[in-house]
Amino acid sequence: DTAVSQTPKYLVTQMGNDKSIKCEQNLGHDTMYWYKQDSKKFLKIMFSYNNKELIINETVPNRFSPKSPDKAHLNLHINSLELGDSAVYFCASSHRGNEQFFGPGTRLTVL
Amino acid sequence: KQEVTQIPAALSVPEGENLVLNCSFTDSAIYNLQWFRQDPGKGLTSLLLIQSSQREQTSGRLNASLDKSSGRSTLYIAASQPGDSATYLCAVRPLSDSWGKLQFGAGTQVVVTP
C-alpha cells in the first residue's frame, strides 16, 4: 500500500561509477519530482516530469539524467559520481503540482 | 527570489505543552504552502496544505494558519507528545509556478521530552 516507493534505500559506491535510483508511485498522480537533501538537511528540487514530459530542470550537472518511462515511474541516473553527490535523494509526486507526497529517500554515499 | 525561513532552528518542550512553529517567506505571491514532518532517516510526511485563499487548515491536534500579506505561516501542535519529536519543514509553491516547484525552509527540529 506504499504510495511513493524508491529503490534502493542505501547506495554506497566509488567515485567515477554510474548509478541509478528508481521511483514508483501508485497514487495515480501525473507529476513526479526529484529532490536532493544535502548534509545540512536543505531540500532542493532537481527535476520534475508531468506525463513523461520534463517540465522542471534546475541547474544540475548534466551527469544527472532523469527518465520517466510512464507517469507512475521516474528514475534518476547519475554518471561519473563525485564526492559532492553524496546526499539523500527524494522522489515525490502530485496531481498537477498540488499536495506533494514523498518517498522514503535514497541515501547515496560516494567514497 | 523567494526565500523561506524557519525560526527557531531547534526547539525543546516538555510533554503536554503546545508547540508553535514559524515559517516566513519573502514573496507573498504564493499558490499554496505545505507543512511536512521528517523523522530521522525517513522521508517527508505531508501534514497540511493551505491554499493561498485559505487562512487556516486543521487536522486533529494540528492547526496551520496563513497570513499571505505578512508572509507568515504558523503551525500549532496542541498538547505535544514525545511522538511529535521530528523536524518540521514548510514549503511554498510560487504563484508563477505551474507544476509544484516547492521552495523549502531549513526546518525546525523539535524534541518533546517526557
Side-chain angles (χ1 to χ4, degrees):
Chain A
D1 61 338
T2 305
V4 182
S5 59
Q6 293 179 231
T7 53
K9 189 167 172 61
Y10 300 97
L11 195 48
V12 180
T13 188
Q14 300 287 334
M15 262 195 324
N17 283 350
D18 303 339
K19 289 293 177 187
S20 291
I21 307 171
K22 295 187 175 184
C23 178
E24 177 180 0
Q25 55 94 5
N26 62 6
L27 295 166
H29 288 162
D30 58 4
T31 308
M32 296 183 73
Y33 312 82
W34 280 113
Y35 287 86
K36 179 180 180 180
Q37 188 172 45
D38 60 26
S39 55
K40 294 184 180 176
K41 307 295 184 186
F42 193 69
L43 264 162
K44 194 166 181 190
I45 193 164
M46 300 171 69
F47 302 104
S48 178
Y49 272 77
N50 174 262
N51 285 322
K52 303 194 294 176
E53 182 184 343
L54 182 65
I55 51 170
I56 297 174
N57 186 358
E58 290 296 282
T59 307
V60 175
N62 58 16
R63 298 181 294 103
F64 290 78
S65 53
K67 273 196 182 148
S68 181
D70 56 60
K71 50 177 205 179
H73 295 86
L74 179 61
N75 303 324
L76 182 65
H77 188 75
I78 315 170
N79 288 327
S80 304
L81 278 154
E82 300 177 358
L83 292 175
D85 297 332
S86 295
V88 181
Y89 293 85
F90 287 100
C91 176
S93 73
S94 77
H95 179 64
R96 294 191 64 83
N98 286 317
E99 188 174 6
Q100 290 189 26
F101 294 86
F102 280 68
T106 295
R107 182 175 293 277
L108 172 65
T109 303
V110 183
L111 304 174
Chain B
K1 183 190 168 190
Q2 178 75 272
E3 289 185 12
V4 182
T5 305
Q6 292 185 250
I7 295 173
L11 187 59
S12 180
V13 298
E15 183 176 2
E17 196 166 294
N18 295 333
L19 278 165
V20 180
L21 306 175
N22 299 304
C23 173
S24 60
F25 45 95
T26 53
D27 186 349
S28 63
I30 66 168
Y31 194 93
N32 59 38
L33 184 146
Q34 196 167 352
W35 281 96
F36 295 89
R37 166 189 172 133
Q38 185 174 24
D39 293 284
K42 299 281 176 73
L44 280 69
T45 301
S46 178
L47 297 174
L48 290 166
L49 173 75
I50 313 178
Q51 302 292 352
S52 63
S53 58
Q54 297 176 312
R55 296 299 298 260
E56 67 176 345
Q57 273 282 20
T58 299
S59 175
R61 293 185 295 115
L62 276 59
N63 174 278
S65 66
L66 175 64
D67 184 343
K68 222 172 43 163
S69 59
S70 67
R72 287 182 188 171
S73 177
T74 303
L75 178 67
Y76 301 90
I77 303 178
S80 62
Q81 303 166 0
D84 294 328
S85 298
T87 297
Y88 291 82
L89 297 148
C90 70
V92 300
R93 177 183 168 187
L95 194 59
S96 58
D97 167 68
S98 300
W99 299 107
K101 186 176 169 181
L102 293 181
Q103 290 175 268
F104 279 83
T108 296
Q109 187 174 10
V110 171
V111 174
V112 180
T113 54

